[in-house]
Amino acid sequence: HTVLQICNRLDGIPLAIELAASRVNVLNPEHIVSKLDDRFRLLTGGSRTALERHKTLQATIDWSYDLLSEKEKKVFHQLSVFVNGFDYEAYEHVCRTESAEQEELTDLLTSLVEKSLVITRTVESGAYRYQLLETIRHYAKEKLLESGESDSTREAHYQYYNKLSEQAYRENTRKFEYWIDRLELEHENIVAALEWVRDDIEKRLQLAGVLGWFWLEHDRRRLALEYLKDSENCPAEASLTKARALTYHAFYLFFSGDTEGLSKVDSSLELWDNLENSEDKVKSLYHYVYVLCFKQDFKTAREVAMKMEEIALELNDKYLLLQSRTALLCVYVFQMKVDLAEPLAAQNIKDAVALNDNMMKPQILHFYADCALMRKDF
């Protein structure tokens, strides 16, 4: 009878019932009913136009929140910055405080899960992800704003996803599928981080500049152009950030048919010329080769491909070497030099398989198919 009374009191709202049910280890059903009654009395002075259902839900969340310890409340507030879930590593980074050691953080998250304020799910890899239901997240977000810690928490959130995206950018040739899946899973958090720094051009371009390759793979052109805009206005002292952002901004503009992209291509190349040889430089020059080929400047395109190879050999990096030879393959295909392109494509496919480089492999296969088309081998 008491359980039925609780369900009726909560208007059958699943979330509200779940929150109430999470208390049965501490409070008996009769006690829960009395707590609900007390809470509802507090609502009688509220807006008369509010839906009863919404007032009931608000009351239930208020009640659950009031039963949290101060440390639990602090973590609960901080979790509201995550969008579409988070893993333990992200939680640990964003919610760590001087007073909260790792073991305590685990206990605090466990407690919030047990109280049904945080839900868990398992992704394809078998890893756990945690999430606040959207109603709960908005409630926690309001509490975070009231606490005065919203800015510092969102900054920690940005720093974590900036670091994650930087790592993905550096490892995208070696662990292509892993990073494609990981960034897709975290994409809503990454966009939230970009929104936080939208008006800070250097921070925005720092993150957007290392996401260009990912957005290209997933055809998020509009999103890329939105967050890479103003790339030429990045402070000169942030030369690497500016070079990365300009490269992808130019590439997206050019392939959107915007002639402004050509001037940005030239500007980005000038920046890379003044930076030391690096993996970054080779990856950016690869896109430059494409643009030069579309412009039919094959002489410069070939020179750039050879420069890429030179840097790859200097760095003793087989993945970059394959990328440089795929750039040269691109030049041969655009020139329709099938006799030079086809054997190089065949060798590049073997190298891609040996390296398990699934970033380059589809592009090499594309060029290999072009060779067959040129020979009319349909």
Side-chain angles (χ1 to χ4, degrees):
H1 173 76
T2 311
V3 170
L4 181 61
Q5 195 177 358
I6 292 170
C7 293
N8 285 333
R9 281 284 186 182
L10 298 175
D11 293 335
I13 300 169
L15 174 59
I17 294 170
E18 185 181 353
L19 289 171
S22 69
R23 299 299 175 197
V24 295
N25 291 330
V26 180
L27 306 172
N28 64 36
E30 289 77 12
H31 198 175
I32 290 174
V33 169
S34 69
K35 286 284 187 182
L36 290 176
D37 283 340
D38 290 341
R39 179 59 67 186
F40 294 158
R41 284 194 202 99
L42 293 176
L43 287 170
T44 55
S47 169
R48 294 189 179 188
T49 59
L51 288 174
E52 194 62 39
R53 175 182 186 281
H54 291 166
K55 291 198 289 184
T56 303
L57 186 55
Q58 175 76 31
T60 312
I61 301 173
D62 279 339
W63 172 43
S64 290
Y65 177 78
D66 289 343
L67 291 172
L68 298 178
S69 69
E70 288 307 309
K71 285 186 177 180
E72 286 173 334
K73 285 179 180 178
K74 184 181 179 69
V75 168
F76 178 58
H77 302 162
Q78 291 170 320
L79 293 181
S80 67
V81 299
F82 292 109
V83 187
N84 194 32
F86 54 94
D87 59 19
Y88 189 85
E89 183 185 355
Y91 160 68
E92 194 175 38
H93 179 89
V94 173
C95 298
R96 181 176 288 285
T97 63
E98 290 178 11
S99 61
E101 298 300 326
Q102 184 173 354
E103 188 175 325
E104 188 177 15
L105 280 172
T106 303
D107 291 341
L108 289 168
L109 183 60
T110 301
S111 179
L112 291 173
V113 170
E114 289 174 348
K115 292 177 170 70
S116 296
L117 290 170
V118 175
I119 58 173
T120 60
R121 59 189 173 93
T122 308
V123 294
E124 283 186 24
S125 65
Y128 275 16
R129 278 184 78 76
Y130 309 91
Q131 188 169 350
L132 275 66
L133 294 178
E134 203 57 19
T135 304
I136 298 290
R137 192 174 81 83
H138 283 291
Y139 180 92
K141 192 175 180 181
E142 289 299 318
K143 293 295 184 182
L144 180 64
L145 286 168
E146 290 171 16
S147 74
E149 296 181 347
S150 181
D151 287 0
S152 59
T153 305
R154 292 195 69 180
E155 179 63 23
H157 179 270
Y158 164 81
Q159 292 297 341
Y160 176 79
Y161 287 104
N162 184 55
K163 183 180 178 182
L164 185 79
S165 300
E166 172 79 30
Q167 186 181 355
Y169 178 72
R170 294 195 176 282
E171 297 178 358
N172 60 11
T173 52
R174 293 162 180 77
K175 298 168 71 176
F176 181 68
E177 287 105 331
Y178 171 79
W179 283 115
I180 282 286
D181 291 344
R182 183 80 187 274
L183 292 185
E184 185 60 42
L185 187 63
E186 299 291 3
H187 195 248
E188 289 181 72
N189 273 311
I190 290 167
V191 171
L194 282 164
E195 277 300 303
W196 167 241
V197 294
R198 178 184 277 274
D199 297 328
D200 185 327
I201 188 167
E202 186 176 341
K203 281 187 173 181
R204 169 165 52 83
L205 293 176
Q206 188 178 25
L207 178 50
V210 293
L211 290 167
W213 72 276
F214 172 72
W215 287 331
L216 197 62
E217 291 292 338
H218 280 215
D219 198 23
R220 288 188 166 106
R221 186 177 300 180
R222 262 189 237 174
L223 193 73
L225 287 171
E226 174 63 25
Y227 289 114
L228 288 166
K229 66 183 180 183
D230 308 325
S231 55
E232 67 279 5
N233 296 329
C234 185
E237 58 269 21
S239 52
L240 180 58
T241 293
K242 187 170 184 174
R244 287 170 169 176
L246 259 176
T247 296
Y248 282 106
H249 193 193
F251 195 68
Y252 279 106
L253 283 172
F254 181 79
F255 285 101
S256 298
D258 190 331
T259 53
E260 185 190 353
L262 291 174
S263 62
K264 283 185 169 53
V265 165
D266 294 334
S267 298
S268 68
L269 192 65
E270 287 173 20
L271 282 171
W272 285 114
D273 279 343
N274 295 322
L275 292 169
E276 63 182 25
N277 289 344
S278 64
E279 181 180 354
D280 255 358
K281 195 168 187 174
V282 175
K283 288 176 176 179
S284 295
L285 292 178
Y286 183 75
H287 296 301
Y288 190 63
V289 168
Y290 261 92
V291 175
L292 288 169
C293 286
F294 272 96
K295 290 172 64 182
Q296 298 191 333
D297 184 356
F298 300 121
K299 180 177 180 296
T300 308
R302 193 173 188 283
E303 288 172 358
V304 172
M306 300 309 291
K307 176 65 175 175
M308 289 171 62
E309 184 174 32
E310 182 186 313
I311 298 172
L313 288 168
E314 178 189 316
L315 298 174
N316 193 28
D317 190 314
K318 292 179 180 178
Y319 291 91
L320 295 182
L321 190 59
L322 177 60
Q323 197 165 36
S324 68
R325 289 174 180 168
T326 304
L328 183 60
L329 172 59
C330 174
V331 179
Y332 289 153
V333 167
F334 268 80
Q335 289 181 295
M336 298 189 75
K337 292 183 176 180
V338 68
D339 293 341
L340 291 173
E342 198 158 37
L344 182 56
Q347 182 58 53
N348 282 4
I349 289 170
K350 288 180 183 176
D351 293 342
V353 171
L355 290 169
N356 194 31
D357 186 343
N358 292 317
M359 186 177 189
M360 282 291 104
K361 196 190 298 178
Q363 298 178 54
I364 299 165
L365 287 168
H366 177 86
F367 291 135
Y368 201 29
D370 285 336
C371 294
L373 288 172
M374 284 185 267
R375 289 191 291 97
K376 299 188 188 306
D377 180 3
F378 305 118

